[in-house]
């Protein structure tokens, strides 16, 4: 079987309206992929920035090993960013995803995030209570089928550094 190794970090975030952010992340793969070792989902800590509130630092590690016989369903990284308020409540600040690069080497990636805008009543709830609209199905984040129907707001960016290493794809006639 061909193998894919992903080693890197979710470095942090920038461009969000307020600090005190954390992120949930998950690698999404197709049916022909098997996780051999490592974690394919997790959550960062909440960063409470000191003097510079423009960049949230997470430095959260990613280290996963996959085996496959197909290129179909190449991994994608999905993130959800939350802001934790003074009462410990987590407010959704954004969704985003990126395709993991197919070329071996180290890659710096910026994931643009967005969140549902909701109705005018939802926006009033968000302003006064911090209760933001959320998606019922996370498949809408990384699957483009019905996403065009959503009304969204752009949020910040999540910064990722990932090293991609491959082995055995040439045995299946694939040169990466």
């Amino acid at each position: 079987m061909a193998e894919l190794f992903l080693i890197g970090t979710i470095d942090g975030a920038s461009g969000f309206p307020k600090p005190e952010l954390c992120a949930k992340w998950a690698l999404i793969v197709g049916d022909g992929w098997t996780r051999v070792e490592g974690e394919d989902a997790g959550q960062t800590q909440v960063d409470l920035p000191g003097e510079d509130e423009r960049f949230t630092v997470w430095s959260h590690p990613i280290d996963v090993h996959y085996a496959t016989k197909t290129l179909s369903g190449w991994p994608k990284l999905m993130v959800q960013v939350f802001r934790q308020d003074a009462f410990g409540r987590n407010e959704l600040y954004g969704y985003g995803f990126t395709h993991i690069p197919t070329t071996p080497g180290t890659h710096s990636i910026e994931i643009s995030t967005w969140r549902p805008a909701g109705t005018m009543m939802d926006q009033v709830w968000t302003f006064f209570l911090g209760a933001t609209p959320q998606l019922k199905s996370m498949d809408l984040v990384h699957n483009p089928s019905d996403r065009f129907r959503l009304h969204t707001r752009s949020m910040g960016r999540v910064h990722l550094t990932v090293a991609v290493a491959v082995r055995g794809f040439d045995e299946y006639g694939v040169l990466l």
Side-chain angles (χ1 to χ4, degrees):
M1 290 182 105
E3 297 174 278
L4 173 68
F5 302 87
L6 302 175
I7 303 167
T9 58
I10 300 175
D11 299 320
S14 63
F16 286 90
K18 295 182 181 177
E20 297 94 24
L21 303 175
C22 69
K24 289 184 180 180
W25 62 274
L27 285 161
I28 311 298
V29 296
D31 293 334
W33 292 74
T34 305
R35 182 171 46 95
V36 177
E37 196 172 5
E39 297 295 325
D40 58 0
Q43 181 173 335
T44 69
Q45 79 279 359
V46 176
D47 179 45
L48 301 174
E51 297 175 18
D52 189 4
E53 294 183 350
R54 293 176 296 170
F55 192 81
T56 297
V57 178
W58 293 319
S59 295
H60 186 82
I62 295 175
D63 187 358
V64 66
H65 173 195
Y66 287 107
T68 186
K69 289 185 179 179
T70 179
L71 288 178
S72 178
W74 189 270
K76 303 176 214 176
L77 179 73
M78 180 182 65
V79 294
Q80 299 175 63
V81 179
F82 295 90
R83 178 180 177 266
Q84 192 171 79
D85 66 12
F87 302 107
R89 296 177 299 190
N90 288 331
E91 173 187 357
L92 175 71
Y93 253 31
Y95 297 106
F97 87 99
T98 187
H99 293 276
I100 298 297
T102 56
T103 55
T106 302
H107 306 274
S108 294
I109 301 168
E110 283 189 358
I111 303 171
S112 296
T113 63
W114 53 270
R115 75 175 187 196
T119 63
M120 182 57 97
M121 188 57 136
D122 291 332
Q123 292 175 19
V124 170
W125 275 85
T126 299
F127 181 79
F128 288 108
L129 301 174
T132 56
Q134 297 185 19
L135 298 177
K136 290 182 180 180
S137 172
M138 296 307 296
D139 289 341
L140 286 175
V141 176
H142 60 86
N143 189 353
S145 61
D146 289 330
R147 199 173 13 179
F148 68 91
R149 296 180 187 175
L150 296 174
H151 297 281
T152 62
R153 286 187 51 203
S154 293
M155 297 303 281
R157 291 185 173 82
V158 173
H159 305 273
L160 167 72
T161 303
V162 64
V164 176
V166 296
R167 179 170 61 184
F169 278 93
D170 55 343
E171 295 173 16
Y172 295 94
V174 177
L175 298 176
L176 298 176

